[in-house]
Amino acid sequence: MDRDPRVCVVGEDVGHYGGSYKVTKDLANKFGDLRVLDTPIAENSFTGMAIGAAMTGLRPVIEGMNMGFLLLAFNQISNNCGMLHYTSGGQFTIPVVIRGPGGVGRNLGAEHSQRLESYFQSIPGIQMVACSTPYNAKGLMKAAIRSENPVILFEHVLLYNLKETIPDEEYVLSLEEAEMVRPGEHITILTYSRMRYHVMQAAKTLVNKGYDPEVIDIRSLKPFDLYTIGNSIKKTHRVLIVEECMRTGGIGASLTAAINENFNDYLDAPVKCLSSQDVPTPYAGTLEEWTVVQPAQIVTAVEQLCQ
């Protein structure tokens, strides 16, 4: 916002309250109430307003206080945000960032535990990225704000307390590149967001059992970085996808299809995908844990694939 006066933030409680997870803390004091705009509880209205502002030259960052609330703005995100560049014959660009907390955790119940990447992945004209560390959260956010395309940035409710030393100097990450988290030889494990940490926990157990997994945080949910993914598959010949998204119609399903279409000849075993169960997320903590993939399940899946 210091760098570009066109950047503004729009959403519920983003101003003096600092956001529901304090992502916009103190920004209102620094940039004023017009550039950090508190809105009524009306997602369709303020999302449409921000898209209109983008059409006239601003670069809005829209916060959904909880990603589940953005379903109320689905029409604006789909029919306006994703399509106006095309339907206007290129007269308008929509440099909008839509971001907010989502995912399973904190006993928030079914309506506040949504994973909307499966909903939004089929919208033409929209890019999707998911951050998993403080380093890539900053780098992807800056890249999304500077992009001329509409970008949805998925944050996870359980990752806001992570701490990490990040560079003082300027850096911007690519919106279309995966991250090699752990090189390995025996199997490629593809994951993103919170599941990165479940995978790395499982990887410690797998190494002790003699396996050498390669772990990739795909980060870019649309489009996939098939170059990085493909090079890994050509080396390991086995793939396990671990996601928190729903199994039916999720990111894992799309990624499985892309791998089978592009790298089928390199596979020594069918692609296996571990996903959340197709049920509303329970409020009770123990039941909530049972609906998402746990490290022990990842270990078992790798052992089966590497037999």
Side-chain angles (χ1 to χ4, degrees):
M1 293 177 77
D2 273 329
R3 176 181 176 272
D4 189 342
R6 298 173 298 170
V7 178
C8 56
V9 181
V10 175
E12 297 150 352
D13 285 338
V14 296
H16 294 280
Y17 184 69
S20 56
Y21 290 89
K22 303 306 177 186
V23 174
T24 54
K25 183 180 179 182
D26 296 330
L27 289 184
N29 294 332
K30 183 174 183 179
F31 295 106
D33 293 345
L34 288 179
R35 289 189 68 192
V36 187
L37 185 64
D38 278 323
T39 66
I41 302 174
E43 285 77 11
N44 55 348
S45 299
F46 69 71
T47 302
M49 177 186 70
I51 292 168
M55 293 169 68
T56 62
L58 297 182
R59 306 184 82 86
V61 179
I62 303 166
E63 175 176 314
M65 181 186 285
N66 181 281
M67 283 304 243
F69 302 162
L70 290 177
L71 290 174
L72 295 165
F74 197 94
N75 176 62
Q76 285 73 21
I77 295 170
S78 176
N79 288 329
N80 302 149
C81 192
M83 300 184 188
L84 271 170
H85 181 67
Y86 172 77
T87 55
S88 70
Q91 295 179 76
F92 298 113
T93 55
I94 316 295
V96 163
V97 179
I98 300 169
R99 52 152 295 273
V104 177
R106 298 185 183 275
N107 309 115
L108 296 176
E111 294 178 1
H112 290 188
S113 301
Q114 295 274 31
R115 287 130 290 175
L116 295 192
E117 52 266 41
S118 60
Y119 292 64
F120 292 138
Q121 66 173 328
S122 61
I123 300 175
I126 284 180
Q127 287 186 267
M128 303 196 313
V129 290
C131 58
S132 55
T133 68
Y135 177 83
N136 67 37
K138 180 179 180 181
L140 292 171
M141 173 72 80
K142 289 165 72 172
I145 291 172
R146 298 178 191 184
S147 173
E148 295 301 317
N149 299 314
V151 179
I152 303 178
L153 174 62
F154 293 93
E155 302 163 10
H156 199 287
V157 292
L158 293 181
L159 301 185
Y160 284 118
N161 290 330
L162 291 177
K163 293 183 178 180
E164 179 183 17
T165 301
I166 58 177
D168 292 328
E169 62 269 13
E170 170 87 354
Y171 73 93
V172 179
L173 298 179
S174 170
L175 293 173
E176 300 177 7
E177 286 185 7
E179 176 189 354
M180 179 65 69
V181 181
R182 185 193 187 279
E185 298 289 336
H186 292 162
I187 186 171
T188 298
I189 305 180
L190 304 174
T191 189
Y192 65 93
S193 191
R194 172 204 180 190
M195 283 296 124
R196 168 179 175 150
Y197 297 94
H198 281 209
V199 168
M200 292 307 294
Q201 188 176 335
K204 294 178 183 178
T205 303
L206 289 166
V207 169
N208 291 334
K209 291 183 173 219
Y211 297 99
D212 186 18
E214 180 151 292
V215 179
I216 295 175
D217 184 341
I218 62 172
R219 290 196 309 205
S220 176
L221 308 184
K222 183 185 177 182
F224 296 129
D225 179 5
L226 291 179
Y227 177 80
T228 300
I229 293 168
N231 284 340
S232 179
I233 292 170
K234 291 173 186 177
K235 176 173 63 172
T236 67
H237 308 293
R238 290 174 173 82
V239 182
L240 173 64
I241 300 169
V242 181
E243 62 174 352
E244 198 181 83
C245 202
M246 297 298 190
R247 180 168 187 79
T248 302
I251 296 297
S254 297
L255 189 53
T256 299
I259 291 169
N260 284 330
E261 287 175 6
N262 291 279
F263 308 110
N264 187 61
D265 289 347
Y266 297 97
L267 294 172
D268 288 344
V271 177
K272 188 173 183 63
C273 183
L274 298 179
S275 312
S276 292
Q277 296 181 41
D278 285 334
V279 297
T281 303
Y283 172 76
T286 304
L287 295 176
E288 182 184 73
E289 286 185 9
W290 285 349
T291 66
V292 299
V293 180
Q294 299 299 324
Q297 295 171 266
I298 300 169
V299 171
T300 300
V302 170
E303 291 174 333
Q304 291 172 348
L305 280 169
C306 291
Q307 284 179 350

